[in-house]
Amino acid sequence: MNSTIARLIVNRLGIGVLTLFIVSIVVFTITSLLPGDAAQEMLGQSATPETLAALRAEFGLDQPVYIRYIDWLGGLLSGDPGTSLVNGMPIMELIGGRLPASLKLAAAATLVSVPVALFIGIFSAMYRGSAFDRYSNMFAVFSVSVPEFLIATIAVLIFAVNLGWLSALSHISEDASFSEMVRAYAMPVLTLCCVLVAQMARMTRAAVIDQLSSPYVEMAMLKGASSIRIVLLHALPNAIGPIANAVALSLSYLLGGVIIVESIFNYPGIATLMLNSVTTRDMPLVQACAMLFCFGYLILVLFADICEIVSNPRLRK
Amino acid sequence: MENLVDVKGLKVAVRPKKGVEIPIVKSVDFSLKKGEVLALIGESGSGKTTIALSLMGYARQGCHIVGGSIRVGEHDILSMSSGKLLKVRGRTISYIAQSAAAAFNPARTIMDQVIESALIHKTSSRHQAEKKAVKLFHELALPDPEHIGERYPHQVSGGQLQRLMAAMALITDPDLVILDEPTTALDVTTQIEVLNAFKKVVRERNTTAIYVSHDLAVVAQMADRIIVLKDGEVQENSTTQEILIAPKHEYTASLLKAMRHDRPSRDWNTEKRLGEKKDTPLLEVKHLEVEFVKGIPVLHDIDLKIERGQTIGVIGESGSGKTTFARSIVGLNSRSKGDIFLDGEPLSDTLDGRTKEQLRRIQYVFQNADTALNPKLTIGAILARPLAFYHGMKGQQVEERVAELLSLVQLPVSISDRRPTELSGGQKQRINLARALAAEPDVILCDEVTSALDTVVGAAILELMSDLRKTLNLSYLFISHDIRTVQSICDEVVVLYSGAKVEQAAGASFSLAGGERLPRHPYTDLLINSVPEMRQGWLETAHQSCSSLPIIDATPADESLCRFLSRCSKRINGTCNQTEPSKLSMANGQHILCHLEYADISGANENVVNHASAKPALESYQ
């Protein structure tokens, strides 16, 4: 570590904070523009203007937008995103109840998909044009183009209904054993991996092929290096930057984008929470979820950036 | 002595997915004794690199070794499996690539890469290999040999990388070393040092080597025998001495002639000017300074005048600011100080600030036609664009003018339907030139226009440019790193060193062939002395005259001091490291930026007309 790297990382962090700030404005503005509000939603069509106004005053909905924004942002910064307008529970508690489950699913999907994707990407780059390369390419195109609800439904049909190996619902108790966890996660993770692996493997393949055509790889071949050595010691160190970025972009999907998987397997994750809050016009919850997804995304991108900076000797020394 | 290498009937072909095989090496035979250095020489496409690589059982993408036999020591290369070949590559035969900058992995330390083949082939332990590498670094005269291996490739210079690559090739004590144009990408002043280092290790270790090059003068310094190749066939195979003195084959003689040719048949300089000399020069640059980072000028107080019909050359090594200079004239780089005048009218700093007419009158021909021409467009469309932009031409008019332009650069009209990728390098450079001519400019800035071309093709382009200058009364600013090209076609030559104009003199005075030499700036002297001469033994004498620098005290960091100080063999302690150098103007129109008395440079004093002392700052010598 040295001053250049420190400066670059501080720079990225600064940009991240700025992005979050801009996103907060956008999220708040857009949610304020949505038609209808929680008061209307709760009281229904028959509510009198008086009761509506009273409820709005209670929720603070009668304040000017910028004041509500400042209150809300202040709350976020002090770790209190407010209370749900629908059931009056603190949002921290609502999210806190769902986030660990979402993170567990994301972690499981990451642990499976990243090594598989890297393996497929690197090997199809090494043996470009081989049968392995062609089949993995076919798999990638197939799994990206088939909608995930179809993959999930077929998986349920085969493994839960026909074979009866797994439960169709992924609900696990606190004290589940390892094998119970594996059984519960198998199908959601499989479905998510189909999408993730394809994207990451394709990007990894492209990044490694790019390096394999460089003159220093030819030089390594002429030094008598084996193809494994060439890929691991020569091509990969230079491909880390682009690979890390591809991985980060794919994984960012695991926070907010897993709504279909969560609903099919009835998995209590945060994407379902957000969807529900949109239907009930529970704006504070929508806003908090949006900010959380954005935060997660920025963390991933920051991580990829740091990988890229640290793997580049021009920046390291 | 027994032959180390025997090549018989070697054939290599390109095998496209569809269609017929295209042979690129046609039945080549040669052999090589132990301890001998053999050169493969030829122009691009002659198959020299392909032959060298096939000795390692390797063919580049798309190429296939289709016949013949290659024996290196006890190995029959072409019958070996790919697994066995891995054991030969880097161990029995090692390779030094043309561009060390590209052949070193940017993400790994130099030491890791230098000793890699020793570790792969398990010829020694890591510790022993590192010790041996340091020893080789010493032998190759690398700076800081104990620690240079800890650095990354981007932290050392191109010339050093090339020598480090030699260490990499020699680490396993291979039976045969292949050097593939190892000095082509280097500046002449660096080339001489690298050649010398190579020659020393090759002689001391009695290495058997194959040296691939297009440059006979370089090869003459290194090789015992030379094979001349053309279109994948051996034209001549003789000792270096025989080739240089009494070439048997016609092609060898023509190569020798092209390279010995100091001045083209048509003499650019003595031609009578067509335009009348006016008082205001066509283009005038005054005190130009360019900064990319504030406070660090990359160009330093540069003055230049170009008259109508005149050709001015700019030479200097890579990084000296040649291209930046041309780019700031044309408006692609903004300047931090100074003025540029076109016909007496000041030119704006930026492209946006210039009128269309001003843009039209100064055109730029880029170094690399491959990247300058849009590969998706036809030649016709490429040429039509400036016609529409500058002259508002349409339809039939454009077609007629495109045909005219093509005939101007001596290409058939039918070429206008083709795309740049379908043309040869020389043809593309002609289109590049035609694109500039389409604007009907007064001055064309040519940035290394012949550097990427073979000698013969490049000479044809120069010939064409000379004709155009006469018929169209053009002026050129001709940028090159090659002193031979510049001196042959330029009325005046400017020598840039590290962003400063160290000398300006008549082009003819830079002639390398004999004659009386003018007194020079020490850098110009070094530049001229570093151009390889086509005789054996040149390297030894030239290197002696370039080495050993006078010792001076520590130099303060001061932008105004002479930039050549650290490399100057004529520096004076107490003067050069203390005060700013002064601009000398000679009676013959020569300008030199130096501290030395003219007498010290030349041994004669009578030509000095104006030599003001270093400080206060002098008036411009323009």
Side-chain angles (χ1 to χ4, degrees), chain B residues 14 22 36 91 121 182 199-200 238 315 331 357 366 371 399 439 528 542 555 564 570 573 610:
Chain B
V14 174
I22 305 153
E36 208 177 23
R91 173 72 193 88
H121 301 289
K199 182 145 195 177
K200 188 164 154 264
S238 327
I315 53 170
E357 184 61 13
F366 290 92
T371 50
E399 267 173 49
I528 293 176
T555 314
F564 190 53
K570 296 196 173 103
N573 193 19
N610 159 21

Side-chain angles (χ1 to χ4, degrees), chain A residues 212-251:
Chain A
L212 287 181
S213 59
S214 63
Y216 58 78
V217 165
E218 178 174 77
M219 189 66 225
M221 280 166 78
L222 294 177
K223 281 199 264 184
S226 61
S227 36
I228 299 279
R229 187 185 178 98
I230 286 173
V231 168
L232 294 185
L233 287 181
H234 288 273
L236 267 189
N238 288 289
I240 285 176
I243 291 177
N245 272 301
V247 169
L249 281 176
S250 296
L251 293 186

Side-chain angles (χ1 to χ4, degrees), chain B residues 42-264:
Chain B
E43 306 202 305
S44 59
S46 61
K48 52 191 191 301
T49 296
T50 313
I51 294 173
L53 286 175
S54 52
L55 286 173
M56 305 182 82
Y58 178 76
R60 289 214 168 113
Q61 194 99 46
C63 295
H64 297 270
I65 300 169
V66 290
S69 71
I70 296 174
R71 186 185 63 79
V72 179
E74 73 267 29
H75 305 287
D76 179 6
I77 299 288
L78 297 186
S79 68
M80 289 169 87
S81 69
S82 54
K84 282 201 174 138
L85 275 175
L86 287 185
K87 298 207 167 66
V88 173
R89 290 180 187 158
R91 173 72 193 88
T92 315
I93 313 168
S94 64
Y95 181 73
I96 298 177
Q98 172 165 8
S99 168
F104 268 96
N105 190 330
R108 304 185 64 204
T109 62
I110 287 167
M111 182 58 88
D112 271 351
Q113 301 186 59
V114 167
I115 62 169
E116 187 174 13
S117 22
L119 300 184
I120 292 173
H121 301 289
K122 302 194 174 62
T123 54
S124 56
S125 70
R126 173 174 282 270
H127 181 69
Q128 285 172 322
E130 282 180 6
K131 257 171 72 181
K132 185 164 181 192
V134 171
K135 189 163 163 269
L136 279 165
F137 296 161
H138 272 288
E139 285 176 33
L140 288 160
L142 282 157
D144 192 15
E146 303 292 333
H147 299 106
I148 196 168
E150 295 160 20
R151 301 196 213 168
Y152 284 92
H154 70 275
Q155 293 167 315
V156 302
S157 72
Q160 290 168 7
L161 271 184
Q162 210 70 50
R163 278 178 275 172
L164 288 165
M165 185 168 270
M168 181 157 99
L170 295 170
I171 196 85
T172 54
D173 290 320
D175 299 340
L176 175 67
V177 179
I178 294 169
L179 300 99
D180 188 359
E181 303 250 19
T183 62
T184 306
L186 304 176
D187 288 314
V188 277
T189 52
T190 319
Q191 168 171 281
I192 190 169
E193 285 166 25
V194 174
L195 281 178
N196 218 55
F198 281 178
K199 182 145 195 177
K200 188 164 154 264
V201 290
V202 165
R203 285 280 170 269
E204 278 173 7
R205 295 175 170 261
N206 197 26
T207 312
T208 316
I210 292 186
Y211 196 104
V212 175
S213 179
H214 70 285
D215 190 338
L216 253 174
V218 166
V219 156
Q221 312 311 316
M222 301 295 294
D224 304 314
R225 295 178 72 78
I226 297 178
I227 289 181
V228 181
L229 291 160
K230 182 171 190 274
D231 299 330
E233 281 173 297
V234 175
Q235 306 294 314
E236 183 164 355
N237 178 352
S238 327
T239 64
T240 305
Q241 206 171 2
E242 277 171 357
I243 295 249
L244 291 182
I245 294 163
K248 290 189 203 78
H249 199 280
E250 213 175 295
Y251 178 70
T252 317
S254 76
L255 260 186
L256 274 169
K257 194 159 159 257
M259 299 211 50
R260 285 219 167 103
H261 223 191
D262 235 8
R263 306 177 68 74

